[in-house]
Amino acid sequence: MAAAAVDSAMEVVPALAEEAAPEAAGLSCLVSLPGEVLEYILCSGSLSAADIGRVSSTCRRLREVCQSSGKVWKEQFRVRWPSLMKHYSPTDYVNWLEEYKVRQKAGLEARKIVASFSKRFFSEHVPCNGFSDIENLEGPEIFFEDELVCILNMEGRKALTWKYYAKKILYYLRQQKILNNLKAFLQQPDDYESYLEGAVYIDQYCNPLSDISLKDIQAQIDSIVELVCKTLRGINSRHPSLAFKAGDSSMIMEIELQSQVLDAMNYVLYDQLKFKGNRMDYYNALNLYMHQVLIRRTGIPISMSLLYLTIARQLGVPLEPVNFPSHFLLRWCQGAEGATLDIFDYIYIDAFGKGKQLTVKECEYLIGQHVTAALYGVVNVKKVLQRMVGNLLSLGKREGIDQSYQLLRDSLDLYLAMYPDQVQLLLLQARLYFHLGIWPEKSFCLVLKVLDILQHIQTLDPGQHGAVGYLVQHTLEHIERKKEEVGVEVKLRADEKHRDVCYSIGLIMKHKRYGYNCVIYGWDPTCMMGHEWIRNMNVHSLPHGHHQPFYNVLVEDGSCRYAAQENLEYNVEPQEISHPDVGRYFSEFTGTHYIPNAELEIRYPEDLEFVYETVQNIYSAKKENIDE
């Protein structure tokens, strides 16, 4: 009977949502049900928020059931934005109707801003003041971030331009938050020794779109500690480390007991879990990100040492970090407590080398040189983070394919957050801004940013006058060029000077010589590069030289190239091009070609029609041959 009553009521609810003045019999049937049953029906998932609003306006009884802080509106919020529920405590009073309205408004505003980015910043990188609209929005930041994530998670191969700019905005918002947290962390006293926390901030800053948290990483380490305890129990069932609890700061002072912990750690880490130093791919930034070290079970000396150090300290072994040149180490004190110690009173542990224990002489043999006693000393958290970021900085300078230099930009930001007066890095940052051409469209915010950096360098080190003067001159020249720039250049295929252009934007091509797949996002009737580039690329050796159309292409390896027409051919098996800038130029991938977004189509208004003809001729003919 109860089930029949619920089924009957379920049929009435949609009618109530649609009718402004429901019939008395239907309304009476519904409101006579117990409140719990009404809530169950209204939370069934068949009604939208608008439906709930209309139902709640029919009578006092339904208005009470649909109260703003009740289960009905909570379920509406949960179904619409499930990822946000983790931000609410079960014990807190929440006006779910109001939260729904605020989240809905934030989503609409965020989408409006994302939609505007292509028009505002199509011709250049998003400038430093480009995110001000997002920063100035009212409402919780988590709502804006959630909407950006929703855009990124849109299914299919459409809305590529929206996804491109949503990703950039989300990247910026999260990095700003992480950088503020890192700066607060660096203000901690020198004896604050949460090495793992600092390493996680670096990991988060370089991977802001990944779901990385100290809590999750600590949980993974805790599971390793449990395995160590299980092994340790077999060695010494009464070992004091087995009684340790999370957050316990006490240390074990007996060397023999410490040794038992380290033996158990080495067995679990290197024999059971197969952690190892990454000798085969040493110069990979993933080796420095703690979440990747745990996933891939490999790293370089400093990241492996931080993992080893964290586990040892949780089990009461007071290891310390040593900023040893070329190979980060840990040290383990063998001397009596309170005694005057020198470098020979320690054993040095190579976490990269499966926890091998080294003497001073063996440490020097490891790096092939003699070093002073000072380099065996312990270092604080800030020095450890400096070395980690320094490694990332070195890797960023080595980047070849990634023309956005994202790792270099991120590592520079991190280093200068710790040491803001590093003259050489400030100069590098100024050069990088200038090289990337991240100039704003209607203001010279970044120009002023570069000039501020240069003025700061001049104050710190007057000896850099020549380098500073050079950059200032070129920055000011850029301002003058910007003043002289005209509107958008439109290229019409019907123009006589474009008669030799054979291909169009959006077509998937293959390079005849190098074999890479790419998509065209621009073309010139002849090579527009300077004489030096033409000479370096040996363009004169081509049969048609530089007097032929050249194409801007996005390549599947993430690079952007300028290819001669005679070196390109149609790709008979078109596929998506995995390039980070695809969304900057295209709105959709159809399976055979890309459709330009509105801004690119303005610049090549006649190309899309040509693309349709080409696709019809090339791929339809291929399909007919297969069918035959």
Side-chain angles (χ1 to χ4, degrees):
M1 290 292 289
V6 170
D7 290 341
S8 176
M10 290 285 282
E11 296 174 0
V12 172
V13 171
L16 288 179
E18 295 175 4
E19 297 291 337
E23 294 183 4
L27 181 60
S28 176
C29 170
L30 187 64
V31 299
S32 63
L33 294 172
E36 293 83 355
V37 176
L38 280 173
E39 284 183 342
Y40 174 80
I41 294 169
L42 294 172
C43 293
S44 65
S46 60
L47 298 179
S48 67
D51 292 334
I52 296 297
R54 287 192 287 268
V55 167
S56 65
S57 66
T58 56
C59 68
R60 186 193 310 173
R61 170 74 166 142
L62 289 175
R63 187 161 54 250
E64 290 173 353
V65 173
C66 299
Q67 60 179 305
S68 59
S69 59
K71 291 182 180 179
V72 175
W73 278 110
K74 180 179 181 180
E75 182 63 11
Q76 283 289 323
F77 190 94
R78 186 196 68 78
V79 170
R80 183 75 182 276
W81 302 293
S83 63
L84 289 174
M85 295 305 294
K86 63 185 177 183
H87 299 287
Y88 297 93
S89 170
T91 60
D92 290 344
Y93 170 83
V94 179
N95 186 325
W96 292 107
L97 174 57
E98 187 61 29
E99 290 293 284
Y100 192 101
K101 291 178 179 178
V102 174
R103 171 59 183 85
Q104 180 84 342
K105 181 181 178 182
L108 293 173
E109 291 179 346
R111 283 175 174 260
K112 181 180 177 182
I113 290 171
V114 170
S116 73
F117 263 52
S118 181
K119 183 176 182 179
R120 294 162 60 193
F121 307 122
F122 176 82
S123 300
E124 53 204 345
H125 289 273
V126 181
C128 54
N129 64 338
F131 302 101
S132 58
D133 291 344
I134 288 286
E135 290 178 338
N136 296 331
L137 287 175
E138 298 179 359
E141 188 175 291
I142 57 171
F143 286 178
F144 301 115
E145 287 194 13
D146 187 67
E147 186 63 33
L148 296 172
V149 172
C150 288
I151 294 173
L152 289 176
N153 292 335
M154 291 169 65
E155 295 183 4
R157 300 161 170 178
K158 298 183 178 182
L160 299 181
T161 300
W162 274 51
K163 292 176 182 178
Y164 175 79
Y165 287 107
K167 181 178 180 180
K168 284 194 171 297
I169 295 169
L170 187 61
Y171 203 99
Y172 171 82
L173 288 176
R174 289 188 174 175
Q175 279 199 329
Q176 290 301 108
K177 187 192 305 180
I178 296 162
L179 197 61
N180 290 335
N181 291 339
L182 175 61
K183 289 177 179 179
F185 172 81
L186 294 171
Q187 298 303 312
Q188 300 283 355
D190 288 341
D191 59 353
Y192 184 73
E193 297 184 333
S194 182
Y195 299 94
L196 181 65
E197 183 180 352
V200 170
Y201 282 133
I202 291 173
D203 190 349
Q204 290 174 328
Y205 191 81
C206 294
N207 302 281
L209 301 184
S210 300
D211 188 12
I212 302 166
S213 71
L214 178 61
K215 180 180 178 181
D216 290 342
I217 289 177
Q218 184 62 63
Q220 294 179 64
I221 292 176
D222 288 344
S223 67
I224 298 175
V225 170
E226 286 296 319
L227 292 175
V228 175
C229 287
K230 184 178 179 180
T231 300
L232 189 58
R233 196 172 286 112
I235 299 172
N236 181 354
S237 62
R238 302 179 65 183
H239 197 287
S241 292
L242 299 175
F244 276 26
K245 297 180 180 179
D248 198 332
S249 60
S250 60
M251 292 291 163
I252 298 167
M253 303 315 297
E254 295 182 34
I255 299 298
E256 179 59 28
L257 293 175
Q258 293 178 4
S259 180
Q260 291 174 356
V261 172
L262 298 182
D263 288 343
M265 283 177 54
N266 289 343
Y267 171 75
V268 170
L269 283 172
Y270 304 113
D271 295 334
Q272 187 175 348
L273 298 179
K274 306 300 182 184
F275 276 85
K276 62 180 180 180
N278 195 347
R279 300 179 187 276
M280 299 297 293
D281 191 17
Y282 192 91
Y283 298 102
N284 187 330
L286 298 181
N287 293 323
L288 284 152
Y289 304 144
M290 294 308 297
H291 84 285
Q292 288 289 349
V293 171
L294 290 165
I295 291 171
R296 300 160 75 234
R297 299 189 179 182
T298 190
I300 59 173
I302 190 167
S303 56
M304 295 291 288
S305 292
L306 288 185
L307 175 61
Y308 199 99
L309 173 71
T310 303
I311 295 170
R313 289 196 167 202
Q314 283 189 218
L315 292 168
V317 181
L319 300 184
E320 298 173 302
V322 177
N323 207 10
F324 203 64
S326 303
H327 200 103
F328 200 89
L329 297 170
L330 301 171
R331 73 179 190 183
W332 174 27
C333 182
Q334 305 294 296
E337 184 178 7
T340 302
L341 305 173
D342 60 26
I343 62 173
F344 299 100
D345 292 310
Y346 294 89
I347 286 177
Y348 299 88
I349 297 176
D350 179 12
F352 182 82
K354 296 188 174 183
K356 185 177 181 181
Q357 297 176 5
L358 308 171
T359 64
V360 169
K361 182 173 288 188
E362 288 171 328
C363 290
E364 294 180 349
Y365 180 76
L366 180 68
I367 63 171
Q369 68 181 79
H370 173 73
V371 297
T372 63
L375 294 176
Y376 290 89
V378 66
V379 288
N380 62 20
V381 175
K382 191 172 182 180
K383 288 293 184 183
V384 173
L385 299 187
Q386 178 188 9
R387 180 147 175 179
M388 290 191 81
V389 174
N391 287 338
L392 288 171
L393 191 58
S394 297
L395 294 175
K397 292 176 182 178
R398 295 161 59 104
E399 284 182 334
I401 292 177
D402 181 9
Q403 297 181 355
S404 70
Y405 293 92
Q406 192 62 59
L407 180 57
L408 180 57
R409 293 158 67 183
D410 291 344
S411 52
L412 275 171
D413 289 343
L414 289 167
Y415 208 106
L416 290 171
M418 293 187 285
Y419 301 97
D421 294 336
Q422 286 283 328
V423 172
Q424 292 303 320
L425 294 186
L426 286 166
L427 270 174
L428 177 59
Q429 188 180 56
R431 290 192 186 102
L432 185 59
Y433 278 135
F434 192 86
H435 171 74
L436 292 173
I438 312 178
W439 307 105
E441 202 166 276
K442 295 183 179 179
S443 68
F444 295 109
C445 168
L446 191 56
V447 175
L448 298 177
K449 168 70 173 175
V450 173
L451 292 175
D452 285 344
I453 293 172
L454 297 175
Q455 185 177 7
H456 185 48
I457 294 169
Q458 184 71 19
T459 303
L460 292 171
D461 186 358
Q464 297 292 336
H465 175 76
V468 171
Y470 175 84
L471 286 170
V472 168
Q473 177 186 346
H474 280 72
T475 302
L476 295 176
E477 287 176 357
H478 175 82
I479 294 176
E480 293 303 315
R481 286 197 300 272
K482 290 291 289 185
K483 292 178 180 178
E484 298 171 1
E485 285 183 3
V486 294
V488 172
E489 180 184 6
V490 176
K491 295 181 179 179
L492 301 174
R493 298 185 66 86
D495 284 357
E496 177 64 21
K497 62 181 179 181
H498 298 153
R499 68 182 184 278
D500 294 330
V501 176
C502 294
Y503 308 128
S504 298
I505 58 169
L507 288 174
I508 309 297
M509 310 298 291
K510 193 177 189 70
H511 197 279
K512 295 178 182 178
R513 182 176 179 184
Y514 299 118
Y516 61 71
N517 299 312
C518 59
V519 57
I520 297 172
Y521 71 95
W523 50 257
D524 296 311
T526 60
C527 182
M528 300 300 290
M529 302 299 283
H531 295 298
E532 184 176 354
W533 186 90
I534 291 174
R535 183 177 64 253
N536 291 339
M537 300 304 294
N538 203 23
V539 172
H540 292 300
S541 67
L542 296 173
H544 295 92
H546 67 283
H547 296 295
Q548 62 175 308
F550 271 69
Y551 297 84
N552 299 103
V553 295
L554 302 176
V555 184
E556 58 191 344
D557 64 5
S559 63
C560 303
R561 304 191 187 185
Y562 196 50
Q565 180 166 280
E566 66 184 73
N567 282 336
L568 294 176
E569 62 183 357
Y570 296 118
N571 191 326
V572 295
E573 297 180 352
Q575 56 189 347
E576 281 190 270
I577 303 299
S578 299
H579 192 286
D581 282 345
V582 161
R584 181 176 179 180
Y585 304 102
F586 303 102
S587 61
E588 180 183 349
F589 179 64
T590 66
T592 57
H593 63 282
Y594 281 92
I595 295 178
N597 60 25
E599 295 307 311
L600 187 61
E601 191 172 3
I602 288 173
R603 289 154 175 80
Y604 299 90
E606 298 175 348
D607 271 39
L608 192 55
E609 182 179 351
F610 183 85
V611 168
Y612 290 145
E613 293 177 2
T614 302
V615 168
Q616 182 70 23
N617 294 334
I618 299 296
Y619 302 118
S620 296
K622 180 190 174 188
K623 185 177 184 300
E624 289 174 3
N625 292 334
I626 293 174
D627 292 340
E628 292 175 1

